[in-house]
Amino acid sequence: MSSTHTVPLKIYFGVFIALCVLTGVTVWTAKHDYGALNTPVALAIAGLKASLVILFFMHVKYSSKLTQLFAFAGFFWLVLLLVFTLQDFMTRGMLPTYVFKH
Amino acid sequence: MSDHAHSTVGLAHHFDDLEQQKESGTLGMWAFLITEVLFFGGLFGAYAVYRSSYPDAFMRASAQLDVNLGGINTIVLIVSSLTMALAVYAAQKGSKGGIIAGLVGTWVFGAAFLVVKYFEYKHKWEHHLIPGPNFLFPDAHGVGQHGTPEQLYFALYFAMTGMHAFHMIIGLVILVWMMKKARRGDFTVHNYALVENFGLYWHFVDIVWIFLFPLLYLIGAHSGTPGAPH
Amino acid sequence: MSSTVLSPSAKASPSSPEGERKTFLNADYGWKSWLFTVDHKRIAVLYLISIMVFFLIGGTFALLMRAELLTAKGDLFEAETYNKLFTMHGVVMIFFFLVPSIPAVLGNFLVPIMVGTKDLAFPKINLLSWYIYIVGGAATLFVAITGGIDTGWTFYAPYSSTYANTNVAGTAVAVFITGFSSILTGLNFIVTIHKMRAPGMTWFRMPLFLWAQYATSLIMVLGTPVLAITIVLLGLERVFHIGIFDPALGGDPVLFQHLFWFYSHPAVYIMILPGMGVISEIIACFSKKRMFGYHFIAFSSLAIAIFGFVVWGHHMFVSGQSAYASFVFSFLTMLVAIPSAVKVFNWTATLYKGQVSLETPMLYALGFIGLFTIGGLTGVFLAVMGLDRHVHDTYFVVAHFHYVMVGGMVMAFMGGMHFWWSKMFGRKYPEWIAQFSSVVVFVGFNFTFFPQFLLGYMGMPRRYHQYNAEFEVLNVLSSAGASILGTGFLMTICYFIWSLKWGQVAERNPWGAKGLEWERAPSPPPTFNFEDGERIVVTEDAYAYTHEEPHGGSLQEARK
Ligand SMILES: [Cu+2]
């Protein structure tokens, strides 16, 4: 039976320390201004932290392909929602709208 | 077929064996988490739209939050995620005491998070930062103004952190129930799916906060605006 | 888990007559054995009864509207009352009939049997979903009785959030609650189809009904939560006035439309995909042929479920959405027509040279193909931005989605109910009267909704209780059609109920159909679906109809 995979304790503690360090890093980077990169940097660090939680605390690294697919699908659909909503708000006024001439 | 299949304690009538039951439970939990991702996703969508529409107002409003409290809470929640992971580890090893210790730790740190959150909310209440007719946001001269775009930030702040806190409260209730079950010895090496699936839920709640922290607390941190007014 | 405690078979019922076979219907008696059941078949029956109640309520609202529209003057109801009627009609029909109809009734009944197992993966959650549905439905009825709601079923902000004087908050709560019942149903189906398939039941041996249910469940799980959170935001806006959809406070009502349609366009596929699954089963059975292009139909269900999520902006061409976004959504909408067309082509190809027989389910299936094609193609018209500007918010749109929802989904539901009725209740409905009433329904439907295409194209706007006199003739036709349609539905309900007691007792496989539910399960099935101790092992593909061996003869015998 392979569904029970015990993750060694040192991985749990390693992930924990990494999460704490990354929390510090995200606060530190937030105090500096990178212009347009501020939000991408913050999201990249948050994404990294979330990936650590998903892969190790939630065992997705050791799970079946199906579980991995499900874990991925949720975030993929979230991206669909965000991208297709923002493609409206980000492009308001970019193309000429209809001009009626008589 | 594993030797576990012979153990039928806790096996529901419609499953062939415990492995099928456990896999079904895990998959169901993941499907549920997908719904949770999209449930919060609507809020993140609203956040993205309004943050892009009012970047400066969002920075000014964000500067009203206390980065230290938010940071402490982030660490508190990470600790509770660790203790939850350890509870699952203990369950895999069949250590009853380990499960209980892990669950209690998770509960304590989860509750600590909510206590901090309570003081943060109280602070907003006292400073008229609750969206609605009483909302006042100080303009450049320190005079409180109604209905400014900063209100949208706080509407999302309360919707997102409130929904997050609601999930934590549910989690704390379930934790108490699980502690009782653990003390009764309901969880065995072959039958600990509940601990594992609850762990997935708890880690998910942690992940939501991992995104909320930078998006809500840190976007104004570089602007030099002092922290929350006292 | 101790769900066996609640299972109907746990207590053997001594009261059943000697020698009578144990079925899920007579396994236990009394209201408790129904309200606390965890048997998927009993829950399906509970759902059937409750959605029929809501169908009749929603239908009554529709008939009242058609009565008002019989004349050009607004003489029967106040404008406000009429607004409430069309809103309640939409809310009840969509959230309480169309969305749960096929999944919660036929899906609940058939999914475990078709995959060859005893029950859904989570029987208690299945029961919970019905209770949630009932609570949400009761809340809706409470709103309807205490004044109703007049925003239209789409609850557009800022009218709903700021200006409406009707019970928006109550309806929001009701719809929010009901959403969880469909999430739980979808979750249960997904896990059941992944994990509970019998040995040998590979993905590509599954009946197409299961593929359709799986795709539908994906949409339920991925889309419904977004509707839920949108409704939460709407409620917060309405109660606390936080500004999130209020332009006066910097909010953007178009955001509401985005979030709303992220669910509600895919919800159209929640309503039509299960119907397509039913049609595939019926077409194969009454053509006595292997399904033409099985893989194409299976994958087209998934394609519809996935691509259906990125077309929602076609509802917003005149909302102030950016021209670029409208262009993208318009283009993607036309693409999503392809998988639907694939299905229609494959069904018609299956009919070709099949041994087609025209019993009632097949009549409904053929009706579905024609009406759905009209509904789908007019949808492509509406995806064209220029044309949409002309017919937006007219009866053209109303006719379009009724051709999809009623002409598609309701026809499929009726076809499916006739097809599996004998399996569910062990009795046959009277065939000739059913054939007759299916024709009545078809005629009534077209009389009701085809004139609305013309009205819309002529420019009659939707959602008004009075109209210009030049539209009167077509409106009279439409109202007359509605009464014919209503008669057809009532006839059906009557003979179905009649057949429960007086219908001819059905054998196991009256249609000579392929599939586990016909070949391996008795009519009606016992609590655990198959004969005691029988472990289903699947050895052949779905629809293994052998063309050489004429099933027509045995079918004729079976019908005697
Ligand atoms: Cu649509």
Side-chain angles (χ1 to χ4, degrees), chain C residues 55 59 62 89 93-94 97-98 102 268 271-272 275 279 364 367-369 371-372 375 398-415 441-442 444-446 448-449 452 482 485-486 489:
Chain C
F55 181 67
H89 168 70
M93 284 302 205
I94 287 170
F97 174 71
L98 287 167
I102 290 184
V268 171
M271 300 178 231
I272 197 70
I279 298 307
Y364 277 111
F368 173 98
I369 294 178
L371 300 177
F372 172 74
V398 176
H400 152 68
F401 66 73
H402 280 91
Y403 263 76
V404 178
M405 298 290 94
V406 185
M409 182 63 173
V410 178
M411 295 294 161
F413 180 65
M414 298 285 278
V441 166
F442 185 83
F445 171 84
N446 282 296
T448 312
F449 293 108
Q452 297 184 4
L485 183 61
F489 286 138

Side-chain angles (χ1 to χ4, degrees), chain C residues 23-40:
Chain C
T23 72
F24 82 98
L25 290 169
N26 66 17
D28 204 349
Y29 295 94
W31 60 273
K32 273 189 191 160
S33 76
W34 283 91
L35 291 186
F36 297 112
T37 184
V38 289
D39 179 350
H40 64 101

Side-chain angles (χ1 to χ4, degrees), chain C residues 147-435:
Chain C
I149 169 174
D150 69 341
T151 60
W153 79 276
T154 50
F155 312 121
Y156 270 10
Y159 179 70
S160 60
S161 54
T162 309
Y163 303 106
N165 292 320
T166 48
N167 196 349
V168 179
T171 317
V173 170
V175 172
F176 178 83
I177 294 172
T178 313
F180 288 94
S181 98
S182 96
I183 288 176
L184 293 180
T185 301
L187 196 149
N188 228 334
F189 286 0
I190 288 176
V191 175
T192 304
I193 291 174
H194 268 291
K195 292 290 171 193
M196 311 279 286
R197 278 172 289 124
M201 177 58 90
T202 60
W203 281 87
F204 293 110
R205 278 180 179 166
M206 293 199 316
L208 291 163
F209 181 76
L210 288 180
W211 279 95
Q213 290 298 331
Y214 183 78
T216 309
S217 306
L218 286 183
I219 304 175
M220 286 171 159
V221 163
L222 290 162
T224 319
V226 177
L227 176 73
I229 194 68
T230 311
I231 288 176
V232 170
L233 287 175
L234 180 68
L236 289 175
E237 171 73 55
R238 177 147 182 108
V239 177
F240 299 109
H241 211 67
I242 58 177
I244 204 129
F245 298 130
D246 185 355
L249 296 173
D252 193 337
V254 176
L255 174 65
F256 176 86
Q257 296 190 25
H258 276 295
L259 294 176
F260 179 83
W261 288 112
F262 179 85
Y263 165 78
S264 295
H265 180 76
V268 171
Y269 299 122
I270 294 180
M271 300 178 231
I272 197 70
L273 270 172
M276 293 169 156
V278 168
I279 298 307
S280 296
E281 299 299 313
I282 296 177
I283 295 280
C285 171
F286 292 91
S287 307
K288 291 287 172 288
K289 254 181 84 181
R290 278 174 193 271
M291 205 65 198
F292 185 87
Y294 169 94
H295 290 77
F296 281 97
I297 299 186
F299 281 120
S300 69
S301 288
L302 290 184
I304 288 174
I306 293 167
F307 293 112
F309 268 99
V310 290
V311 302
W312 77 79
H314 59 221
H315 295 272
M316 300 166 61
F317 288 157
V318 298
S319 72
Q321 172 176 257
S322 83
Y324 166 81
S326 292
F327 165 74
V328 171
F329 281 128
S330 168
F331 178 71
L332 290 171
T333 302
M334 292 181 201
L335 287 190
V336 90
I338 294 172
S340 302
V342 163
K343 284 180 192 284
V344 173
F345 287 130
N346 282 303
W347 290 325
T348 28
T350 306
L351 293 173
Y352 179 68
K353 288 196 175 167
Q355 300 169 11
V356 176
S357 56
L358 293 176
E359 280 87 356
T360 317
M362 188 61 159
L363 292 178
Y364 277 111
L366 296 176
F368 173 98
I369 294 178
L371 300 177
F372 172 74
T373 303
I374 296 174
L377 284 176
T378 50
V380 179
F381 296 3
L382 289 167
V384 180
M385 280 186 274
L387 191 64
D388 184 65
R389 289 203 161 223
H390 176 60
V391 294
H392 188 90
D393 257 342
T394 67
Y395 267 86
F396 192 88
V397 179
V398 176
H400 152 68
F401 66 73
H402 280 91
Y403 263 76
V404 178
M405 298 290 94
V406 185
M409 182 63 173
V410 178
M411 295 294 161
F413 180 65
M414 298 285 278
M417 285 311 300
H418 284 87
F419 188 45
W420 283 293
W421 183 260
S422 59
K423 182 55 64 182
M424 293 178 83
F425 298 104
R427 299 272 180 171
K428 291 182 183 173
Y429 60 84
E431 185 62 42
W432 69 268
I433 193 171
Q435 286 172 328

